[in-house]
Amino acid sequence: MSATETIPVIDLGPYLAGEPGALDRTAQELRFALTQIGFYFITNHGISPEKIRSVFEQVKRFHAQPIEKKMALKLDNHGTGYMPMRGNTLRTSTVQAGTKPNLNEAFFVKRELPPDHPDVLANRRYRGPNRWPADLPGFREIVVDYCNELERLVQKMVRLYARALDLPAVYFDAAFQDPQFSLRMTHYPHQEGPAVDEFGLAPHTDTSFLTLLAPNDVAGLSIRTQSGKWIDAPAIPDAYVVNGGQMLQRWTNDFFLATPHRAVNRSGGERYALAFFCDATIDWPIAAVPTTVGPDRPPKYPTTYYTDYMVRYQKRTYDLLADAQAAD
Ligand SMILES: O=C(O)CCC(=O)C(=O)O
Ligand SMILES: [Fe+2]
């Protein structure tokens, strides 16, 4: 298989260990991955398999609750809480029109903010309090700890992004000091039959700067390569799958890709997924970095802000679904 039809594997070990030369060498691999494929695996990322396993256990535990318990935490306009099966108003396809509602249910958590945080008191959009299940002791601690760990990993990874863009290594440090993130804990039931327009998660691109998908024992993710071919992501033990989204395209003037992908569970059993979507600090202006613009390459996007963008994105995908239902 050619290099652009394969998801590359990037070993973060040497870079994270501070080996001389590893930063730039790894950044070159990242540059290839994000300009040619838009997806890559990372190994030796420092997140222990036990920790990952314990979060998967919590996801399973969450979704095993009775529907009334889950509905009590129904998704709010901060994007936190529970989204029921086929009730997917927020993540219908932005890539392929006319698909049925997604066959998954998901629970969303953002950064844990104290109840007296000014943004919480002001009811600032996307800065609301998390909606925790009342009867699952330990759930919150495990999930918050996992988010904290991934946040720290992203803060190390953005140095690779900076070097991959020929910028000083610390270029993104300030922007990612207090990153805006969302952890999506998804349950995909087994799907029967060959329905072509029904997906666990329909073809889409993420909105994020980067998404970290936890190592999954159950296959189901496919990505659309630049040649237009859908390829299945292999399950590589302990390796995260990483991809860029629409914000990364804006940061890089389309130099880095936001590759369409989808999920279908035909494993015969349940499938769970943990997607951590990460962006810069909520107020950071998102504009093409200097090395991606020039006289022959004007900026393609106006300066973007997370809140405005997400409000518009959610409205657009919601309207898409409303239109699709009206047409039924
Ligand atoms: O289930 C997966 O493997 C992919 C999930 C995904 O693409 C998403 O949540 O945005
Ligand atoms: Fe995705």
Side-chain angles (χ1 to χ4, degrees):
M1 226 190 294
S2 76
T4 53
E5 301 294 319
T6 315
I7 303 176
V9 180
I10 300 181
D11 180 0
L12 291 188
Y15 162 62
L16 293 178
E19 279 180 25
L23 170 63
D24 280 355
R25 207 174 54 240
T26 314
Q28 280 311 310
E29 292 177 40
L30 182 67
R31 183 182 173 105
F32 176 83
L34 286 176
T35 54
Q36 308 299 315
I37 300 103
F39 267 78
Y40 58 98
F41 287 101
I42 49 172
T43 56
N44 298 311
H45 40 70
I47 315 287
S48 80
E50 293 74 34
K51 189 159 278 191
I52 296 166
R53 201 171 318 120
S54 76
V55 187
F56 271 109
E57 274 162 24
Q58 298 308 314
V59 182
K60 197 171 166 180
R61 203 170 154 225
F62 179 89
H63 288 294
Q65 295 180 107
I67 187 74
E68 310 80 61
K69 294 264 182 201
K70 294 189 276 188
M71 288 306 272
L73 304 174
K74 199 157 186 248
L75 203 63
D76 59 22
N77 78 346
H78 298 296
T80 57
Y82 172 70
M83 189 185 66
M85 197 82 72
R86 296 183 205 263
N88 193 343
T89 53
L90 298 182
R91 288 200 157 256
T92 47
S93 179
T94 50
V95 173
Q96 184 171 321
T99 61
K100 297 201 176 93
N102 293 324
L103 205 55
N104 75 69
E105 55 183 336
F107 185 61
F108 293 85
V109 164
K110 288 188 158 61
R111 177 186 298 284
E112 179 72 342
L113 297 171
D116 61 350
H117 189 285
D119 287 351
V120 176
L121 293 175
N123 193 28
R124 183 172 176 186
R125 191 88 187 252
Y126 305 124
R127 300 282 287 173
N130 283 319
R131 326 272 314 277
W132 297 109
D135 311 322
L136 299 182
F139 180 89
R140 168 185 174 152
E141 290 72 17
I142 291 170
V143 170
V144 169
D145 170 70
Y146 181 69
C147 289
N148 289 341
E149 258 213 61
L150 289 194
E151 175 183 17
R152 286 192 292 270
L153 175 59
V154 169
Q155 286 168 334
K156 291 171 191 153
M157 288 174 68
V158 293
R159 294 203 165 180
L160 295 169
Y161 279 70
R163 292 303 300 133
L165 292 161
D166 287 324
L167 295 162
V170 297
Y171 187 86
F172 290 115
D173 283 16
F176 281 84
Q177 208 169 356
D178 184 29
Q180 177 73 9
F181 60 75
S182 180
L183 178 68
R184 175 184 176 130
M185 292 170 264
T186 314
H187 168 221
Y188 303 94
H190 170 71
Q191 223 176 302
E192 294 290 346
V196 284
D197 55 353
E198 185 161 51
F199 298 92
L201 188 53
H204 68 281
T205 59
D206 293 349
T207 57
S208 59
F209 179 95
L210 70 80
T211 304
L212 286 167
L213 269 173
N216 208 321
D217 296 337
V218 183
L221 171 69
S222 314
I223 76 162
R224 195 176 76 194
T225 64
Q226 287 300 97
S227 71
K229 211 166 93 190
W230 284 96
I231 60 167
D232 295 336
I236 301 184
D238 302 332
Y240 274 82
V241 180
V242 191
N243 64 280
Q246 296 153 27
M247 295 298 190
L248 186 67
Q249 291 183 297
R250 282 168 162 72
W251 275 102
T252 65
N253 207 21
D254 281 350
F255 185 57
F256 284 168
L257 297 167
T259 292
H261 52 287
R262 66 185 186 201
V264 176
N265 176 19
R266 297 203 195 286
S267 67
E270 309 304 310
R271 179 171 186 265
Y272 300 90
L274 287 169
F276 183 81
F277 307 102
C278 198
D279 280 289
T281 304
I282 193 160
D283 285 319
W284 206 271
I286 298 150
V289 300
T291 50
T292 60
V293 288
D296 306 331
R297 209 180 154 90
K300 294 187 182 172
Y301 305 99
T303 300
T304 307
Y305 291 87
Y306 178 91
T307 307
D308 299 345
Y309 191 78
M310 295 306 279
V311 167
R312 263 186 289 125
Y313 176 81
Q314 290 179 354
K315 189 173 166 357
R316 197 175 71 233
T317 49
Y318 176 81
D319 288 349
L320 265 179
L321 186 85
D323 289 349
Q325 283 172 340
D328 275 351

